[in-house]
Amino acid sequence: MISDAERDELVRRAAAVPKTHSRPDVVFHYSEDGSIKRFAPHRPPSNPSHPPAVWTIDAEHAPLYWFPRHCPRISVWAYDDEQQGRLSELFETEASRICATETIWIDPMRAARLYEYRFDGSRFAPWTDADGQYIAGEAVYPDEVVMLDDLLALHADAEVELRFTPKLGRLMDQVLASGLPFSFVRIRDARR
């Protein structure tokens, strides 16, 4: 296991890697509530100093959100051949993206129904703090809503390797040490 100081340094270095952003045609928001008609800007509890915004994700990073809302998960991926070689070697995979969560979430994932809200990407600007995330500062209305009722198949169809592990800690350390692009979502809800 790596120390807290080493973990903090790895996160700091990953955040310093320049990110490229091209505006997608369509961006998405995922929810277990299929009845949302209007998305109003809000401050996220995890980042109360951020101006109110509506948050969306591009198609490439959408697998990060194909989980029940409170499900802790991590993801690591490759953008190019060099990164793919490192991902394949370190994580023993042929996939270009791995998503992982805790084993206690397999039944909730099987039962989950998510709603994919689709928006015109031109109404959103890149959020430079995270790959694939886009924000709007005013209320927006979805162009379309699609129900997703098989999250396991969704990952498989997208060729995302989905892993289940009793705890995420050791895998998080591996991801941080890899130097590869990554995301941690709802980690505060992870088992200790």
Side-chain angles (χ1 to χ4, degrees):
M1 298 265 300
I2 64 176
S3 71
D4 289 344
E6 291 169 320
R7 182 178 294 112
D8 291 345
E9 174 60 17
L10 289 166
V11 170
R12 187 196 62 72
R13 283 199 319 234
V17 173
K19 296 169 176 61
T20 59
H21 300 279
S22 60
R23 193 176 303 235
D25 293 334
V26 178
V27 290
F28 308 92
H29 179 88
Y30 294 91
S31 177
E32 291 172 279
D33 179 353
S35 65
I36 306 170
K37 303 293 183 214
R38 176 181 179 269
F39 287 76
H42 71 281
R43 280 189 172 87
S46 60
N47 191 358
S49 64
H50 194 281
V54 176
W55 306 82
T56 59
I57 193 85
D58 65 15
E60 183 179 6
H61 297 86
L64 300 169
Y65 294 92
W66 295 342
F67 293 86
R69 178 176 176 82
H70 296 288
C71 177
R73 66 260 192 193
I74 62 177
S75 186
V76 60
W77 60 90
Y79 283 126
D80 58 36
D81 290 342
E82 180 183 333
Q83 289 179 349
Q84 183 62 53
R86 194 161 54 246
L87 182 75
S88 295
E89 180 182 337
L90 294 173
F91 296 96
E92 299 180 4
T93 187
E94 296 303 318
S96 61
R97 178 180 295 273
I98 299 169
C99 287
T101 189
E102 300 166 329
T103 52
I104 62 171
W105 283 94
I106 194 165
D107 287 334
M109 281 196 68
R110 285 183 180 134
R113 300 297 175 263
L114 288 183
Y115 294 88
E116 179 181 79
Y117 289 87
R118 298 176 180 180
F119 299 90
D120 177 351
S122 68
R123 294 185 284 185
F124 293 81
W127 185 46
T128 57
D129 289 354
D131 282 351
Q133 293 192 19
Y134 295 80
I135 58 175
E138 67 278 336
V140 291
Y141 298 84
D143 297 324
E144 185 178 6
V145 182
V146 176
M147 186 182 74
L148 308 175
D149 63 356
D150 188 342
L151 302 183
L152 300 177
L154 198 59
H155 283 89
D157 291 345
E159 297 186 351
V160 172
E161 183 173 318
L162 185 58
R163 294 185 181 187
F164 292 91
T165 182
K167 293 183 180 179
L168 292 171
R170 188 175 304 268
L171 187 55
M172 287 173 57
D173 290 347
Q174 278 185 285
V175 167
L176 286 170
S178 74
L180 293 166
F182 70 92
S183 179
F184 297 162
V185 178
R186 292 284 179 174
I187 294 305
R188 66 182 174 272
D189 297 326
R191 295 169 67 191
R192 303 282 180 232

